[in-house]
């Protein structure tokens, strides 16, 4: 049976075909879908990238930071194609040719790698364990050409040629971290006109050894004049290198020295850092072996914060020289410093403009030493004392207690053992196992 139309043939209006799709997101543009995906939590990015090829491609455009493990992924060009908008790249792990199937894992604050049982006199990582310089240079060329908006780069064993290509192409590079570099390789970063944060890691104890001396410090000072933060780890040098940095890098605000190998007399060169606001010393076996006379030390009038962490402070002469150079400081932080006795701490009265003091892990300091110093600081507003086990609450004097009452900020937790005892007092624990174990 065929139904006849009630209207004439010339009045029939053809119907438009209706297309039904199973993927509603296909109706959205890439820009709109990319905006939606960017609103998801970071923990969901990996799962959403597995939905389809389109979503995986869009996810790659959202990724801006990468820690590379496989060098072939960079050399083949897949890194740039997969993540075209990278601004932060870490190439250190990919440059180290060590076994990936080893059961020995070395974790350091600078580097985490797998090792074999071999150990050389120069450390776990030698020059032979790194990729050849020409291979690293070619990888840096690929990164420089594919990531023109790069802002941060971390690498190891780079040469002058590879760093020059990065400096030429990546004009927005602001932060650079170099491991296992030499003096001459630093000539490559002289073209980084916008570089603001630089971290040089020359030698790391029992890990690897390389030499950065006054030559390298002078090269970087003349080439990177817009530095704001500079960190030197395991670097050699002397008065001349620090002086060159102070004279050329006039915008430098923060200087960090970690496990330095500086020659004696380097402290007096800090007076050339006319805009320095923060000085940090970390893991230094000695502050200055031969600081010289007081009249030749000079000072840093703009310095605001002095931070010492895990430093040897047994040498009273170098400690006195440090406080003299930093006499205008407003904040002092002493964290796990060895040899900080009452007499050594008393030298800090040189810093008469101090407003904030933080002490943590200074086990040799007593209440008597603290009391004799804090009263000399008329502008003190903040005091923090944590885990200084030789400071007892029972020894606090009335004058010190009165000072505590007028401070704007106070954190007083000096004796961690007494704090633990008081917290366990009601539980019955800590009494030779009396709560859980009974003699038969």
């Amino acid at each position: 049976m065929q139904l006849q139309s009630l209207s004439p043939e010339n009045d029939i209006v053809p119907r438009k075909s209706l297309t039904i799709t199973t993927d509603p997101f296909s109706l959205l543009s890439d820009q709109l879908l990319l905006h939606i995906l960017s609103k998801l939590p970071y923990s969901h990015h990996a799962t959403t990238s597995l939905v389809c090829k389109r979503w995986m491609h869009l996810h790659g455009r959202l990724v801006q930071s990468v820690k590379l493990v496989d060098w072939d992924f960079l050399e083949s060009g897949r890194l740039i194609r997969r993540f075209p908008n990278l601004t932060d790249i870490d190439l250190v792990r990919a440059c180290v040719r060590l076994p990936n199937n080893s059961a020995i894992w070395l974790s350091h604050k600078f580097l985490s790698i797998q090792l074999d049982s071999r150990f050389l006199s120069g450390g776990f990582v030698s020059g032979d364990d790194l990729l050849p310089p020409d291979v690293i240079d070619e990888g840096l060329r690929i990164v420089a050409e594919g990531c023109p908006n790069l802002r941060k780069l971390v690498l190891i064993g780079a040469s002058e040629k590879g760093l020059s290509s990065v400096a030429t192409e990546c004009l927005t590079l602001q932060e650079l971290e170099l491991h296992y570099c030499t003096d001459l390789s630093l000539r490559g970063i002289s073209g980084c006109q916008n570089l603001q944060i630089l971290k040089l890691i020359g030698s790391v104890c029992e890990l690897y050894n390389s030499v950065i001396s006054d030559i390298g410090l002078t090269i970087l000072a003349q080439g990177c004049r817009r530095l704001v933060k500079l960190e030197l780890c395991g670097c050699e040098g002397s008065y001349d290198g620090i002086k060159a940095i102070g004279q050329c890098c006039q915008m430098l605000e923060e200087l960090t020295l970690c496990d330095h190998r500086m020659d004696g007399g380097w402290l007096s060169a800090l007076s050339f850092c006319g805009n320095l606001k923060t000085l940090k010393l970390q893991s230094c076996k000695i502050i200055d072996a031969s600081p010289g006379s007081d009249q030749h030390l000079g000072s840093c009038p703009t310095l605001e914060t002095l931070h010492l962490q895990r430093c040897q402070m047994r040498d009273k002469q170098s400690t006195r020289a440090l406080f003299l150079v930093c006499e205008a400081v407003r904040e002092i932080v002493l964290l796990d410093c060895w040899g900080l006795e009452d007499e050594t701490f008393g030298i800090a009265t040189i810093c008469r403009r101090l407003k904030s003091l933080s002490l943590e892990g200074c086990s040799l300091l007593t209440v008597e030493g603290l009391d004799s110093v804090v009263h000399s600081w008329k502008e003190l507003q903040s005091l923090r004392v944590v885990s200084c086990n030789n400071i007892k609450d029972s020894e606090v004097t009335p004058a010190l207690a009165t000072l505590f009452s007028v401070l704007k900020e106070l954190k007083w937790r000096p004796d961690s053992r007494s704090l633990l005892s008081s917290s366990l007092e009601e539980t019955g624990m800590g009494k030779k196992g009396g709560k859980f174990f009974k003699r038969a």
Side-chain angles (χ1 to χ4, degrees):
M1 181 182 295
Q2 184 177 4
L3 298 178
Q4 301 292 332
S5 176
L6 298 178
S7 57
E9 293 184 4
N10 55 0
D11 293 336
I12 296 178
V13 179
R15 296 180 182 180
K16 296 182 178 179
S17 59
L18 179 62
T19 303
I20 301 178
T21 177
T22 58
D23 181 12
F25 289 101
S26 62
L27 302 176
L28 303 179
S29 64
D30 286 350
Q31 290 76 10
L32 184 57
L33 184 54
L34 189 65
H35 179 72
I36 295 174
L37 294 176
S38 66
K39 299 299 181 181
L40 295 176
Y42 181 77
S43 58
H44 293 179
H45 285 187
T47 54
T48 54
S49 66
L50 302 177
V51 173
C52 60
K53 290 184 178 181
R54 184 191 180 199
W55 284 36
M56 184 182 69
H57 174 70
L58 293 177
H59 168 263
R61 293 166 60 180
L62 291 175
V63 175
Q64 295 183 340
S65 177
V66 165
K67 286 188 177 182
L68 190 65
V69 177
D70 185 6
W71 187 262
D72 292 336
F73 192 65
L74 167 64
E75 204 168 29
S76 62
R78 287 177 292 168
L79 175 68
I80 307 302
R81 292 195 300 268
R82 179 71 174 85
F83 308 111
N85 297 325
L86 290 176
T87 60
D88 182 354
I89 302 179
D90 187 342
L91 301 176
V92 173
R93 180 61 189 90
C95 293
V96 181
R97 298 184 302 182
L98 289 174
N100 295 325
N101 56 353
S102 173
I104 305 174
W105 185 267
L106 175 62
S107 181
H108 193 274
K109 64 179 180 179
F110 298 137
L111 180 64
S112 294
I113 54 176
Q114 288 177 285
L115 302 173
D116 52 21
S117 58
R118 175 179 54 89
F119 176 75
L120 302 176
S121 58
F124 285 103
V125 180
S126 65
D128 296 334
D129 296 323
L130 303 178
L131 293 175
D134 56 336
V135 175
I136 297 179
D137 292 342
E138 177 62 19
L140 291 179
R141 185 193 63 80
I142 297 174
V143 170
E145 294 178 355
C147 304
N149 297 322
L150 193 66
R151 294 182 178 272
K152 180 180 178 180
L153 179 62
V154 183
L155 50 95
I156 185 172
S159 67
E160 178 185 353
K161 180 181 178 182
L163 292 174
S164 297
S165 61
V166 174
T168 303
E169 300 292 338
C170 304
L171 301 180
T172 60
L173 186 66
Q174 297 181 355
E175 186 172 353
L176 183 61
E177 181 175 326
L178 299 178
H179 297 248
Y180 203 84
C181 57
T182 60
D183 290 333
L184 297 181
S185 64
L186 294 178
R187 291 189 298 186
I189 64 175
S190 59
C192 299
Q193 301 297 328
N194 296 316
L195 191 64
Q196 298 181 8
I197 302 175
L198 177 61
K199 185 175 183 179
L200 298 180
I201 305 174
S203 297
V204 179
C205 183
E206 306 300 340
L207 189 57
Y208 54 77
N209 291 318
S210 62
V211 177
I212 299 177
S213 64
D214 283 338
I215 299 175
L217 297 181
T218 305
I219 291 173
L220 76 89
Q222 294 176 351
C224 306
R225 295 177 178 267
R226 302 187 64 182
L227 282 181
V228 178
K229 292 183 179 181
L230 175 61
E231 183 171 350
L232 304 176
C233 302
C235 297
E236 301 177 4
S238 64
Y239 172 89
D240 295 331
I242 301 299
K243 178 183 176 181
I245 292 173
Q247 290 179 332
C248 298
C249 306
Q250 299 182 3
M251 299 174 62
L252 187 65
E253 295 183 358
E254 182 176 320
L255 176 62
T256 302
L257 299 179
C258 180
D259 190 22
H260 72 78
R261 277 87 162 164
M262 297 287 175
D263 294 339
W266 71 270
L267 267 176
S268 57
L270 291 176
S271 59
F272 292 94
C273 302
N275 198 39
L276 191 64
K277 292 180 172 58
T278 302
L279 176 62
K280 295 182 179 181
L281 301 180
Q282 301 174 355
S283 304
C284 297
K285 299 179 179 63
I286 188 168
I287 297 175
D288 193 330
S290 179
S293 58
D294 295 349
Q295 57 268 27
H296 295 103
L297 284 174
S299 63
C300 296
T302 60
L303 196 64
E304 298 177 357
T305 302
L306 175 62
H307 190 289
L308 283 83
Q309 183 176 1
R310 297 188 302 273
C311 293
Q312 289 278 5
M313 301 186 67
R314 292 185 173 90
D315 187 2
K316 296 181 177 59
Q317 183 183 6
S318 62
T319 303
R320 172 181 170 79
L322 176 64
F323 285 132
L324 280 173
V325 173
C326 307
E327 61 179 354
V329 74
R330 298 299 185 93
E331 180 184 4
I332 294 180
V333 178
L334 301 175
L335 177 61
D336 296 328
C337 291
W338 304 298
L340 185 62
E341 301 175 340
D342 292 345
E343 184 179 356
T344 306
F345 182 65
I347 305 175
T349 55
I350 297 173
C351 309
R352 299 186 178 277
R353 300 172 60 187
L354 197 72
K355 290 187 176 182
S356 176
L357 174 65
S358 177
L359 301 172
E360 183 174 349
C362 303
S363 58
L364 298 181
L365 194 62
T366 65
V367 172
E368 182 181 359
L370 180 65
D371 191 7
S372 62
V373 174
V374 295
H375 283 95
S376 65
W377 293 323
K378 304 303 181 183
E379 302 180 22
L380 188 66
Q381 299 177 0
S382 174
L383 178 62
R384 181 177 179 271
V385 181
V386 177
S387 300
C388 300
N389 294 331
N390 215 17
I391 296 179
K392 308 295 182 182
D393 291 339
S394 58
E395 300 175 359
V396 175
T397 62
L400 190 58
T402 304
L403 176 64
F404 290 168
S405 63
V406 298
L407 292 176
K408 292 184 178 180
E409 182 180 358
L410 174 64
K411 184 174 183 180
W412 184 260
R413 197 180 297 172
D415 191 355
S416 58
R417 290 174 295 184
S418 62
L419 179 66
L420 178 62
S421 301
S422 61
S423 62
L424 297 179
E425 185 175 359
E426 301 297 330
T427 65
M429 295 178 63
K431 297 181 179 179
K432 296 183 179 181
K435 186 176 181 66
F436 299 101
F437 304 101
K438 294 182 181 180
R439 293 185 177 181

